[in-house]
Amino acid sequence: ETTKALLQGLEGALILRAGFIAGCFHMWRCETTLSRAGRLYQEEFLRHHNEWGSHLEQTRGHYESELQRLQRIAGERKAKFGRQQEMVMDKWLKGDKVGLLTEVSRLWSQYAQTQKGIKSRREKTELMVNEWYQGKAKGAMTSGFHAWRNLAVHE
């Protein structure tokens, strides 16, 4: 009888412990499943987030370049309209021939200044490249010779 009671007591304690261990195992399994699902969701979310971020940057860059292009076109149109307006005003104030001649000479002067600036920048670039490639003294001498030769050819 004592053995039977002792065995039943041990059996009950064993069942309690086994139930406790099974409950802990079940809880651990659920937690790891949830953790894994959360990690997979986070990875998927980051992947989509990066894709949308790059898409957003690409779209933003496209619209910024388009805005710059349209602003440049609007500026050119505004400048052209301003020039046309000046020409009409000059023609109206000074007469057709004198106004047109004034406008042509003003535009020619602007063109000459622009060409002078372009030539100056080209010569400076050539000098810098020659100094880098041949050294400071020899590069300056080569650029000076080219400038003298161009001057002699054009005169």
Side-chain angles (χ1 to χ4, degrees):
E1 189 73 29
T2 333
T3 312
K4 185 178 177 184
L6 188 63
L7 281 176
Q8 284 179 348
L10 285 174
E11 185 182 359
L14 184 63
I15 289 174
L16 278 173
R17 286 185 181 159
F20 176 74
I21 291 172
C24 288
F25 176 76
H26 180 70
M27 187 64 87
W28 170 80
R29 191 182 70 176
C30 289
E31 288 293 325
T32 56
T33 302
L34 286 174
S35 175
R36 182 172 179 242
R39 190 176 62 248
L40 291 174
Y41 171 78
Q42 186 68 22
E43 289 171 358
E44 186 74 14
F45 177 78
L46 287 176
R47 186 175 63 81
H48 287 296
H49 178 72
N50 292 338
E51 288 174 2
W52 279 104
S54 64
H55 177 70
L56 176 66
E57 288 301 317
Q58 184 181 21
T59 304
R60 181 179 291 141
H62 169 71
Y63 282 114
E64 284 176 356
S65 65
E66 185 68 16
L67 178 64
Q68 289 173 352
R69 184 183 72 82
L70 292 174
Q71 286 175 339
R72 181 181 44 82
I73 290 171
E76 290 171 357
R77 286 181 181 163
K78 186 176 179 180
K80 183 179 178 182
F81 178 73
R83 289 191 306 265
Q84 288 174 344
Q85 191 177 23
E86 286 178 15
M87 185 173 70
V88 168
M89 290 299 290
D90 281 344
K91 285 172 67 176
W92 179 66
L93 288 174
K94 300 176 183 175
D96 283 344
K97 290 182 181 179
V98 175
L100 186 59
L101 185 61
T102 303
E103 182 66 19
V104 167
S105 63
R106 188 179 65 76
L107 290 174
W108 183 257
S109 173
Q110 285 179 353
Y111 174 76
Q113 287 175 349
T114 303
Q115 291 302 314
K116 181 180 176 183
I118 290 171
K119 181 180 177 186
S120 173
R121 286 192 299 275
R122 185 175 51 237
E123 288 173 352
K124 286 178 187 176
T125 304
E126 181 184 354
L127 174 65
M128 287 173 39
V129 169
N130 283 334
E131 286 180 352
W132 172 78
Y133 182 67
Q134 298 175 343
K136 192 164 186 124
K138 191 171 182 182
M141 185 176 67
T142 302
S143 293
F145 175 72
H146 285 208
W148 173 77
R149 187 184 69 201
N150 288 339
L151 184 64
V153 166
H154 291 297
E155 285 185 0

